[in-house]
C-alpha cells in the first residue's frame, strides 16, 4: 500500500511538472504565426479597405488563430476543417439571414446550430465556424448587405491568408509540423516540402 501511494505521488508530481513546463520556442512560433496572420489581414484592411468598416477583420479569425498557430496538431485545426468550417458556416449564416425574418433570438441560435450540424456531417468541425455563422446574422448592416459575397470576402480570403501563414511559420522548425500527414500534405507537398527542407538546413547550421 505504501509503495502504491509513493508511486502515485511520483506519477502525479511528474504530470504536474510536465504540464507546467514552458517551451519558449513553441510559444515564440505561436506568437509569430498569430501576429503575422492577423497582422496581414489588419494591414490590408487599414490600407486598402478602410472605407469598409473593418469588414475584412471578423472576430472568428482570432479564435481560428488559437487553433492553427497554438494547437496545430488538433484535428480541428487542419486545413480541411479550417476552410470547410468557415465557408460552410458562412453559407448557412447568410442563408438563415435571407430566409428567416430578422428576429435575433431566432436567427442567431439557428445559424449556429445548423452550422455545427453541417460541419459534423461534412467532417469539417472548426469551432470558430460557429462565430462566422453568428457574425453573418448579427453583424453590422454592411456585413449583412454583402449577402453571399460574405463567403468569399471576408471569409474565404481571410482563411487563405491565415492558412498560408500557418503553413510557412509552423514548418520553419523541426519541432512543428503542419498540417498533419494526410491528403492535404500530399497534395501540397510542392509547397510544404521546400519549407521543411530549409528548416532542417537551418537547424543543422
Amino acid at each position: 500500500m505504501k509503495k502504491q501511494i509513493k508511486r502515485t505521488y511520483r506519477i502525479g508530481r511528474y504530470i504536474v511538472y510536465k504540464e507546467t513546463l514552458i517551451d519558449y520556442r513553441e510559444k515564440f512560433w505561436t506568437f509569430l504565426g498569430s501576429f503575422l496572420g492577423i497582422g496581414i489581414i489588419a494591414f490590408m484592411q487599414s490600407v486598402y479597405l478602410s472605407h469598409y468598416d473593418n469588414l475584412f477583420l471578423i472576430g472568428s479569425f482570432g479564435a481560428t488563430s488559437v487553433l492553427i498557430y497554438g494547437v496545430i496538431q488538433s484535428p480541428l485545426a487542419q486545413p480541411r476543417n479550417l476552410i470547410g468550417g468557415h465557408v460552410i458556416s458562412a453559407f448557412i449564416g447568410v442563408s438563415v439571414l435571407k430566409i428567416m425574418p430578422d428576429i435575433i433570438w431566432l436567427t442567431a441560435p439557428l445559424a449556429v446550430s445548423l452550422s455545427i450540424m453541417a460541419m459534423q456531417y461534412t467532417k469539417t468541425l472548426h469551432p470558430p465556424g460557429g462565430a462566422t455563422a453568428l457574425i453573418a446574422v448579427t453583424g453590422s448592416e454592411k456585413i449583412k448587405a454583402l449577402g453571399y459575397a460574405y463567403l468569399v470576402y471576408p471569409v474565404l480570403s481571410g482563411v487563405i491568408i491565415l492558412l498560408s501563414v500557418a503553413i510557412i511559420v509552423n514548418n520553419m522548425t523541426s519541432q512543428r509540423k503542419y498540417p498533419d500527414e494526410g491528403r492535404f500534405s500530399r497534395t501540397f507537398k510542392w509547397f510544404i516540402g521546400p519549407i521543411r527542407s530549409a528548416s532542417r538546413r537551418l537547424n543543422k547550421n
Side-chain angles (χ1 to χ4, degrees):
M1 183 66 179
K2 192 175 180 180
K3 287 183 179 180
Q4 182 65 31
I5 292 172
K6 284 184 177 180
R7 184 172 179 274
T8 304
Y9 170 73
R10 285 198 305 271
I11 293 172
R13 188 174 62 177
Y14 176 75
I15 292 172
V16 170
Y17 170 73
K18 290 290 288 183
E19 289 297 319
T20 54
L21 280 178
I22 298 175
D23 187 338
Y24 291 101
R25 289 175 300 179
E26 187 75 13
K27 302 298 180 288
F28 168 76
W29 292 112
T30 297
F31 172 84
L32 182 63
S34 59
F35 183 87
L36 289 175
I38 296 296
I40 291 171
I41 296 174
F43 176 79
M44 293 177 63
Q45 171 68 54
S46 62
V47 175
Y48 301 107
L49 306 164
S50 57
H51 57 289
Y52 282 111
D53 189 31
N54 287 336
L55 293 186
F56 201 69
L57 199 60
I58 59 175
S60 53
F61 289 163
T64 285
S65 296
V66 175
L67 284 171
I68 67 172
Y69 304 120
V71 200
I72 63 175
Q73 300 304 319
S74 169
L76 305 180
Q78 301 310 305
R80 174 191 175 96
N81 300 70
L82 168 65
I83 298 170
H86 274 295
V87 174
I88 289 170
S89 298
F91 175 78
I92 289 174
V94 174
S95 298
V96 168
L97 181 67
K98 287 184 171 294
I99 295 171
M100 304 296 295
D102 193 8
I103 304 172
I104 194 70
W105 60 263
L106 179 61
T107 56
L110 193 59
V112 173
S113 301
L114 288 176
S115 69
I116 293 171
M117 288 181 61
M119 287 188 286
Q120 287 176 326
Y121 275 114
T122 56
K123 294 181 172 59
T124 58
L125 195 62
H126 186 67
T132 297
L134 188 61
I135 290 167
V137 298
T138 63
S140 68
E141 291 304 317
K142 288 186 178 180
I143 287 181
K144 292 178 180 179
L146 289 173
Y148 286 106
Y150 175 71
L151 277 69
V152 179
Y153 165 85
V155 175
L156 181 59
S157 52
V159 164
I160 289 172
I161 290 172
L162 293 175
L163 176 59
S164 301
V165 171
I167 290 174
I168 294 171
V169 172
N170 290 335
N171 291 290
M172 291 180 70
T173 172
S174 58
Q175 281 76 40
R176 293 163 70 91
K177 183 174 68 174
Y178 179 85
D180 277 345
E181 294 302 330
R183 184 180 299 173
F184 186 94
S185 296
R186 293 192 296 272
T187 304
F188 289 88
K189 191 175 181 180
W190 59 271
F191 182 45
I192 299 171
I195 298 171
R196 291 179 178 168
S197 298
S199 170
R200 284 192 290 268
R201 286 197 298 269
L202 286 172
N203 288 326
K204 288 179 181 178
N205 295 334

